[in-house]
Amino acid sequence: MHHLAKLITSQPDPSRGKPTGDAVYSPSALTVPDWEDLFSRATARRSGVPAGSRVGHAEVRALKSVTAFFAATMGTFGGGHARTALTAYLADDAIPWLLAGASDHVHRRLLTHTAQLTILLGNMCADDEHHALAQDYHRTAAHLAAEAEDPHTYTIAIRTLASHALDLGHQQAALTLTEQAAATATRHSSPLTQSFTQSQLALAQARAKDRQRSLRALHHAEALHSHADQDPTDPFDSYPTAALHYQRARTLTALKDHQAADQAFHASLHARAPQARRARALTTALLAESQLLQGNLEESLTTWKHFLTDYPGLRSARATASLTTMRQALRPYSAHPEVALLEEEAASL
């Protein structure tokens, strides 16, 4: 928790400047001790419940409720929205509660929810392309989860760290981390969390050109998901069907099975909740890219129009990158009347 406090207080207001450390995303930092090792270290360092004013279940409920709020906010408006508020909340409420007196059970629950909020803050940073800071938050969340004796949240932190690394092109390190997350989930977590890790394992193996293992992991993820219980109101105890279809589409794209990937993208879009605007925009952009890659210009143009419907109001560097990709990909077709209209609309955003 002390590292989290130091990390948060070292960051300027995101609205006023670039966060510290963004230039030093470190592939060498993509190594995190496995659950058993980290858990034993964390429990060895524990020195009992802090003294002083006491906190209880009301504070646990508060952390849980704001976790759902910030997850929904990012899903609707992007990682650049309310990141300052989440940083301030951790500094002003979560960390002081961790330093206050509490029962052992309450303290561990506070650690769990603080770890989950830290994962969300890392996701916001990644979505807004503050990559080193995202990496540090995800690693910190894994350590907090170990202090909380919570392998479920640890697994999600490691899977998220791996997913971010894969997006940045660190394929081998991402595969190793994903295997670590999947192994931990198999030993300690629910079928839903196992599905979450297996779907990422499928993508990592596809990027490594291991088609057989990739498809096996994908089928395993789908089987686990079909039998899993989940709480749709808890962002850390749910894995929406739309998200699984999205991961299947990305995996099939990596395996160059583009027609099947397009079907999965469509399935993901069909299953998305209306408020999941960020995910819908990113999924739509990938579908439009895939359609254009296969020579389906008219379909791609229709899909890009849907992307431009969701894009306004998003504060997401990833979505902005998709807008740039659209303009670049359509440049060779600039004589097409609909392309010209799309370019005009994009230029106004």
Side-chain angles (χ1 to χ4, degrees), residues 269 280-281 284-285 287-289 291 297-312 322-323 326 330 336-343 345-346 349:
L269 290 168
R280 188 167 58 246
T284 302
L287 173 59
E289 289 180 49
Q291 290 168 333
L297 176 61
E298 299 300 330
E299 288 184 15
S300 179
L301 291 175
T302 299
T303 305
W304 280 123
K305 289 177 186 177
H306 293 310
F307 168 77
L308 292 180
T309 299
D310 277 318
Y311 178 81
S322 294
L323 181 68
M326 182 198 83
L330 293 179
H336 193 293
E338 290 191 36
V339 171
L341 289 173
L342 280 175
E343 171 59 30
E345 184 176 354
L349 295 175

Side-chain angles (χ1 to χ4, degrees), residues 37-95:
D37 185 14
L38 198 59
F39 172 71
S40 64
R41 292 188 201 181
T43 52
R45 287 196 304 267
R46 288 184 65 180
S47 55
V49 176
S53 61
R54 297 187 67 82
V55 295
H57 293 288
E59 287 78 10
V60 173
R61 289 194 295 271
L63 285 183
K64 185 177 177 63
S65 67
V66 298
T67 301
F69 167 77
F70 281 113
T73 296
M74 180 183 169
T76 302
F77 301 108
H81 183 85
R83 184 158 55 87
T84 307
L86 178 50
T87 303
Y89 185 83
L90 285 166
D92 294 342
D93 289 331
I95 291 172

Side-chain angles (χ1 to χ4, degrees), residues 23-252:
V24 291
Y25 183 93
S26 174
S28 65
L30 292 172
T31 302
V32 180
D34 65 23
W35 166 251
E36 283 73 16
D37 185 14
L38 198 59
F39 172 71
S40 64
R41 292 188 201 181
T43 52
R45 287 196 304 267
R46 288 184 65 180
S47 55
V49 176
S53 61
R54 297 187 67 82
V55 295
H57 293 288
E59 287 78 10
V60 173
R61 289 194 295 271
L63 285 183
K64 185 177 177 63
S65 67
V66 298
T67 301
F69 167 77
F70 281 113
T73 296
M74 180 183 169
T76 302
F77 301 108
H81 183 85
R83 184 158 55 87
T84 307
L86 178 50
T87 303
Y89 185 83
L90 285 166
D92 294 342
D93 289 331
I95 291 172
W97 289 342
L98 290 177
L99 296 173
S103 70
D104 185 65
H105 173 73
V106 165
H107 185 65
R108 283 188 283 108
R109 295 305 299 158
L110 291 171
L111 281 167
T112 281
H113 292 305
T114 301
Q116 293 175 354
L117 284 169
T118 303
I119 292 171
L120 284 177
L121 186 52
N123 293 349
M124 288 178 167
C125 291
D127 187 54
D128 223 23
E129 296 189 351
H130 299 304
H131 297 303
L133 192 53
Q135 180 186 40
D136 211 347
Y137 281 131
H138 291 150
R139 285 173 52 86
T140 300
H143 286 266
L144 288 169
E147 287 187 56
E149 303 178 16
D150 181 357
H152 168 72
T153 300
Y154 166 89
T155 298
I156 294 174
I158 297 300
R159 195 269 200 192
T160 307
L161 181 68
S163 177
H164 184 212
L166 189 62
D167 287 343
L168 295 181
H170 303 289
Q171 293 187 11
Q172 186 52 54
L175 177 58
T176 300
L177 275 172
T178 309
E179 290 171 341
Q180 181 177 331
T184 306
T186 299
R187 292 193 299 270
H188 299 287
S189 296
S190 67
L192 189 69
T193 307
Q194 292 179 51
S195 174
F196 185 59
T197 58
Q198 287 293 322
S199 68
Q200 181 61 29
L201 185 60
L203 178 58
Q205 289 169 334
R207 294 277 180 87
K209 298 182 173 26
D210 192 337
R211 184 180 185 88
Q212 185 176 13
R213 289 186 178 180
S214 173
L215 291 175
R216 186 159 59 241
L218 183 60
H219 294 154
H220 190 31
E222 292 169 340
L224 287 163
H225 192 273
S226 68
H227 299 296
D229 295 324
Q230 55 181 309
D231 178 2
T233 66
D234 185 341
F236 284 86
D237 197 24
S238 64
Y239 185 32
T241 301
L244 180 61
H245 284 315
Y246 173 77
Q247 203 71 346
R248 177 160 60 95
R250 294 181 72 202
T251 299
L252 293 170

